[in-house]
Amino acid sequence: MSVSPSSPASSPIESLAPSAIVTRLRAAGCVFAEDETELLVATARDHAELAAMVERRVAGRPLEHVLGWAEFRGLRIAVDAGVFVPRRRTEFLVQEAAALAGPGAVVVDLCCGSGALGAALGAAVDRVELYAADIDPAAVRCARRNVADVGGRVYEGDLYAPLPGTLRGRVDVLLANVPYVPTEEVGLLPPEARIHEARVALDGGADGLDVLRRVTADAARWLAPGGRLLFETSERQVPYALEAVADGGLVARSVSDEEMYATVVVGTRPA
């Protein structure tokens, strides 16, 4: 028996059959209904929790918020309600950073959100000294759980402001997953993002580069000689992002991965 996703009177018992869950998710517009059903069933601790999770997903909440976690570079990253969900394309940013970071590297993860980037880099590189910061209290709480295994420390505040001053001139890798969606385009994002993720994690200002310019303006003061700043941006923003990096006194380049639809800009402080 198929049940409409808008029907509040559906029986929880009927809804728990995997085939019924798939039907409801499909009707709600979930493209990968079968895969999502498997994840929901595997994550729920009992029938009541499963029924509640299905209802939240059908109502349009991001799957990761419903599950309470997202997979990122093979890690299970805790993602609380309202916190920015790490995108798979951003794995390319971590891949590039891991290739540049040696054992014992001093790493800063700005605009850290859930802390996925710092946690993944810490898992990929031995003995990193990890610091992270975000302006969103909910994200900070999440990040503290996610970076605990690699000994990371997370600070609440605006960009560099909450970081220990002793880090100036010592940072080997500076990750900055800055928001880069232009303000007027935020309304065009899928509802899962624009309704259920913090606006501060999405809105990059008039041209999408406001936060990035603030990061690049001060990056050289925090980077060690030869240290690198890495951030993700859109393909059409690359020329302006490279200009911002150069204006900050760094040597700029970009690298892309067409399969992941990802573009990363790297700025290097001259040795």
Side-chain angles (χ1 to χ4, degrees):
M1 174 180 175
S2 62
V3 182
S4 167
S6 62
S7 171
S10 58
S11 163
I13 301 301
E14 292 177 284
S15 302
L16 293 181
S19 59
I21 295 174
V22 169
T23 298
R24 295 202 70 199
L25 294 182
R26 279 182 183 158
C30 301
V31 177
F32 303 104
E34 291 85 356
D35 294 338
E36 292 194 11
T37 296
E38 288 184 14
L39 289 169
L40 292 167
V41 170
T43 302
R45 291 167 292 187
D46 54 42
H47 286 188
E49 185 174 47
L50 176 58
M53 291 170 72
V54 171
E55 292 305 318
R56 289 198 297 272
R57 182 60 179 138
V58 167
R61 292 189 180 275
L63 176 66
E64 294 82 2
H65 288 169
V66 174
L67 296 173
W69 57 271
E71 183 181 347
F72 188 80
R73 278 184 62 91
L75 301 177
R76 183 173 285 199
I77 301 295
V79 182
D80 294 338
V83 175
F84 182 79
V85 176
R87 285 16 177 194
R88 284 298 182 91
R89 66 173 176 269
T90 310
E91 293 182 351
F92 180 61
L93 173 59
V94 177
Q95 175 184 313
E96 292 299 303
L100 298 172
V106 177
V107 175
V108 168
D109 182 3
L110 283 187
C111 304
C112 69
S114 65
L117 276 66
L121 187 58
V125 180
D126 290 339
R127 305 187 312 279
V128 298
E129 186 180 333
L130 174 63
Y131 304 83
D134 200 286
I135 199 169
D136 180 10
V140 168
R141 290 192 296 270
C142 224
R144 283 177 176 151
R145 304 204 308 271
N146 288 320
V147 305
D149 285 347
V150 294
R153 281 160 279 188
V154 186
Y155 302 85
E156 182 182 333
D158 187 25
L159 299 182
Y160 303 100
L163 294 175
T166 53
L167 285 176
R168 289 192 183 93
R170 292 186 53 232
V171 179
D172 299 304
V173 174
L174 174 55
L175 302 171
N177 196 21
V178 297
Y180 58 89
V181 179
T183 300
E184 65 179 14
E185 296 180 18
V186 172
L188 304 177
L189 292 173
E192 290 184 0
R194 71 172 187 269
I195 296 174
H196 297 289
E197 293 179 327
R199 175 88 181 213
V200 70
L202 303 170
D203 192 339
D207 66 352
L209 300 175
D210 284 1
V211 181
L212 171 62
R213 291 190 184 94
R214 294 178 56 216
V215 170
T216 57
D218 286 333
R221 296 187 183 94
W222 293 85
L223 290 171
R228 276 92 165 202
L229 162 69
L230 298 95
F231 59 88
E232 183 179 272
T233 193
S234 71
E235 188 174 347
R236 64 186 168 89
Q237 291 170 322
V238 167
Y240 311 103
L242 291 173
E243 181 180 359
V245 171
D247 287 346
L250 306 179
V251 179
R253 63 183 176 88
S254 66
V255 58
S256 299
D257 186 300
E258 292 185 1
E259 288 188 11
M260 300 183 75
Y261 195 61
T263 299
V264 169
V265 170
V266 182
T268 303
R269 179 185 167 186

